[in-house]
Structures are given as structure tokens and as C-alpha cells.
Amino acid sequence: MDGYLFSILPSLVQANIYIHTRRWISDKHNRKWAAFPKVALGSSNGTIPLLGFGTAVFPFTASETMKESILHAIKLGYRHFDAAAVYHSEGPLGEAIAEALRLGLIKSRDDLFITSKLWCSDGHRDLVLPALRNTLQNLGLEYLDLYLIHFPVSLEPAARYDVPFKTEDLRPMDFKAVWEAMEECRELGLTKNIGVSNFSCKKLEQLLLTSKIPPVVNQVEISPLWQQKKLRKFCEEKGIHVTAYSPLGARGTAWGSNEVLDCEILKAIAEAKGKTTAQVCLRWVYEQGVSVLVKSFNKERIKENLDIFDWKLSPEECHMIDQIPQQKSCDGLVFISDEGPYKSVEELWDEKISFLVERACDI
């Protein structure tokens, strides 16, 4: 274990973060990661790897490239994979897992942490369990490690997984009823943990009022340009782990922008440290104590994104990042309608927000 990990180990143990030594297994022809840091999940006995591999590619479609990239990520040591019904990524992920088992890259399915998400059209009490069973069939698995409500809104079931969808299909989500169905999924052993995604403090409070099993994770957008300090503090107080998506600004997607990677402050820090701007972003998110999802189907960048554990940002660099003006990337405009449950983005996110780009978030 390197000196830095030894120096921060006491505080990490106090925060229920379990460090798995980051080391290289090396020989003349092979170098690969042995393990990633993990964190304990609040009301669960399990842990979640602090670096995960995302599978959202817009437009949402399955591909052989996706499967090969996931398989390559497993070879490099990634163990946390994030999918969703609406991404159409469950099939390729399942195929990659089966191939990894066949090749001996992993000893068993238990070596992996697999997350998937309940899409809005399945956000109804009687559709949650069938949706999860369908997800498991797509993946070829018997259980998930984590199942999330994708957004705090429902759609007419007939909308299925079509994106974009018709605004007239938007419906308010019955949090109590849907969460009861999520709890049933956990009790049946179909998922080890349940959680949410894109939930504000206010919506989490509403959910917690009636939940028997509290959500263990809230997956939300976090980057140096959208730091979510208030939400992270609230989740910490409630024992809810936070997972960050779009830490690099979701460049190349319908909901993303180039602003994060083009940020001059981040670029200057990267140049001074001999790192890439992406690595600085990922390291900053990691240092906030949250898990982070990265997505790339480029083999070099998949490997590059691993290099965030054995160095740290200085207090001065953290202060510089702390001063970056805050702007959100995923605006959620696709969920806004005069006839729908949310009439404005302020109602959806429960706060006034500045956005990086004027485009809808279609996930």
C-alpha cells in the first residue's frame, strides 16, 4: 500500500470506507489491476467499488463495440458496471460477463457489482417486479447488486423505452407504491440493494417518510462544474451513498457539453500535475467520498481512467476547483410539460439551476 493510502487510512476506516490495495500484477507481458477501493453501503452489508464503468451511449442502442469495451474493462480490473433498461445495454453487458467467465477473467459472477435501473414507463407498482425480471433475463443473471429508480417521474407503460417520448405520456410517480415494489424486489433476493437516481433532497425526504428499507444509493450528476454540495451533505446525514454520473460532462451526448473538459482551471491543474484533464476531474470526484462512473469505449482512455488512485490534489488545487462557477449539464427538459407533473426544471430538481447547454436530458 503506498504512503498516501497509509496516511488517509484512519479517516477512511472511520467513514466505513474499506481500502483494497491498489497494486499491479506484473510480468513481462501482462499488467493489470488487482483491486479497486470500495465503500460500505449504509443499511446493507455490502460494498460498492468507488470506480465504475458506465454504459450509456446516445442514441441508446446495443452494439458489439459496447460488449468488447466492457470485456476489455473487465480485463483491466473494472468490477462495477452500470446499465439501464432504457440504455439497451443490459444485453451486451450480460454477454460480456458470460465471456469473462468463460475466459477465466473472473472466478464467478460474485466478483462483479452490477447496477441497472427501472425506467419511467415501468415506474408503476405492478410493473416494477416484471421489469426487474426482464432486466435479469437480459443480463443472464440471477440477481443485481443494485437496482435504481432512474428518474422521479413515471410514463405511460405504452411509452416503453422510446427516447424521446411524448410529453403527454408523463405521469407523477407514486413514490410510496413504487418503492414498496422495489422493497419487494430486495426481499425476494432479486437485487441485493435498492436505490434511486436523480432524486433531490426534497424528493428523498418524501421517499424516506414511508420507506421500510431506505435507499442505499442516489446516483446523480457530479463534476467539478456541478459539485452538489448540499445534496451530498444531505445524503451523508441520511446514510445514503452517492454515485456520480457524467463526471466529465457527458461530452458527445444529447445532454452533455464540452465545458467540463474545456475548463481552464482544470486544464491548468492537469498540466501542472502531468495528468489529463479527465484524470483531474475523476480524482476530484473520488476525493469527495463518492463513487464515480466513467464511460469510454476507447481502450486507451478506459485504461487512463484507472490512474486516479495513487496521487492526490493539493489543498490549493482543491480550493481552485471549489471556486469554479456551478452549472449543470443534464437539464431534464424532456420531463417538463405544462400538463405533466413538473412544470419547470426548478420543480424537477427542487432548486434554481444554471445550465451549461440549452438541450434536453434524454436519459
Side-chain angles (χ1 to χ4, degrees):
M1 184 178 290
D2 60 45
Y4 171 57
L5 287 181
F6 269 124
S7 70
I8 65 171
L9 186 57
S11 61
L12 290 176
V13 170
Q14 188 175 9
N16 287 326
I17 295 178
Y18 300 92
I19 293 296
H20 288 224
T21 307
R22 190 198 78 87
R23 67 190 188 276
W24 289 102
I25 297 174
S26 303
D27 58 34
K28 256 175 121 174
H29 307 290
N30 184 42
R31 301 175 80 209
K32 64 181 181 180
W33 295 83
F36 287 2
K38 296 181 180 182
V39 63
L41 291 174
S43 60
S44 162
N45 292 323
T47 59
I48 182 172
L50 286 172
L51 183 65
F53 192 89
T55 61
V57 182
F58 194 82
F60 298 134
T61 183
S63 69
E64 185 66 22
T65 299
M66 181 184 293
K67 173 192 168 183
E68 292 303 319
S69 297
I70 294 169
L71 191 63
H72 183 68
I74 293 174
K75 289 177 182 177
L76 290 177
Y78 286 87
R79 293 296 180 262
H80 175 188
F81 293 89
D82 181 83
V86 75
Y87 299 163
H88 300 287
S89 62
E90 294 168 340
L93 175 55
E95 292 171 5
I97 293 170
E99 183 73 359
L101 286 166
R102 188 185 68 80
L103 294 173
L105 300 177
I106 51 176
K107 292 181 180 178
S108 76
R109 179 264 178 268
D110 294 343
D111 292 343
L112 303 177
F113 188 99
I114 306 299
T115 300
S116 198
K117 307 182 193 76
L118 177 82
W119 183 235
C120 305
S121 56
D122 292 319
H124 306 271
R125 176 68 178 87
D126 60 333
L127 296 182
V128 175
L129 183 55
L132 177 51
R133 291 191 188 281
N134 189 60
T135 280
L136 292 173
Q137 183 177 2
N138 291 339
L139 288 163
L141 301 178
E142 295 182 354
Y143 69 90
L144 292 180
D145 294 279
L146 178 63
Y147 196 42
L148 305 176
I149 296 176
H150 205 148
F151 271 93
V153 62
S154 295
L155 285 166
E156 278 292 313
R160 299 301 297 148
Y161 306 122
D162 294 334
V163 177
F165 45 79
K166 299 175 183 177
T167 55
E168 54 262 36
D169 286 336
L170 288 166
R171 297 290 181 270
M173 177 174 282
D174 184 338
F175 290 163
K176 183 177 184 295
V178 171
W179 192 251
E180 285 174 351
M182 295 285 286
E183 291 173 331
E184 181 185 356
C185 290
R186 206 197 83 160
E187 289 166 354
L188 289 171
L190 299 179
T191 180
K192 290 186 175 182
N193 300 282
I194 50 177
V196 296
S197 182
N198 298 297
F199 270 55
S200 65
C201 297
K202 181 178 178 180
K203 291 177 176 61
L204 282 171
E205 282 183 326
Q206 183 180 345
L207 182 64
L208 289 169
L209 284 174
T210 59
S211 62
K212 295 177 183 177
I213 303 172
V216 298
V217 168
N218 186 20
Q219 186 184 121
V220 295
E221 178 189 347
I222 296 180
S223 76
L225 272 65
W226 190 244
Q227 297 178 14
Q228 297 266 45
K229 293 178 182 178
K230 176 185 173 183
L231 181 61
R232 285 192 282 119
K233 184 174 185 295
F234 177 87
C235 288
E236 182 180 4
E237 292 171 350
K238 299 297 182 182
I240 300 171
H241 176 72
V242 174
T243 295
Y245 72 73
S246 298
L248 308 181
R251 190 179 204 154
T253 67
W255 61 91
S257 80
N258 299 334
E259 296 294 327
V260 175
L261 293 178
D262 288 344
C263 175
E264 292 301 325
I265 291 175
L266 298 173
K267 288 165 71 174
I269 293 172
E271 184 175 358
K273 301 193 83 67
K275 301 294 182 181
T276 67
T277 305
Q279 288 170 333
V280 168
C281 290
L282 296 176
R283 177 67 201 188
W284 178 85
V285 175
Y286 169 69
E287 288 188 8
Q288 307 316 300
V290 307
S291 54
V292 55
L293 300 172
V294 294
K295 198 284 300 175
S296 177
F297 290 169
N298 177 287
K299 288 188 175 182
E300 285 304 309
R301 284 197 289 271
I302 292 172
K303 183 178 178 181
E304 181 183 281
N305 289 337
L306 295 172
D307 186 19
I308 65 169
F309 296 120
D310 57 357
W311 56 278
K312 61 180 178 176
L313 296 165
S314 70
E316 294 76 19
E317 291 163 341
C318 290
H319 179 72
M320 292 169 63
I321 294 174
D322 197 52
Q323 304 307 307
I324 296 175
Q326 295 297 285
Q327 293 179 296
K328 187 169 172 48
S329 178
C330 176
D331 51 38
L333 285 176
V334 70
F335 297 109
I336 308 306
S337 170
D338 289 338
E339 290 74 42
Y342 303 117
K343 309 297 190 291
S344 67
V345 290
E346 287 76 18
E347 288 185 8
L348 175 62
W349 303 113
D350 295 310
E351 60 181 313
K352 188 171 177 58
I353 293 174
S354 296
F355 293 104
L356 291 172
V357 287
E358 293 297 326
R359 58 179 62 168
C361 173
D362 291 329
I363 62 173

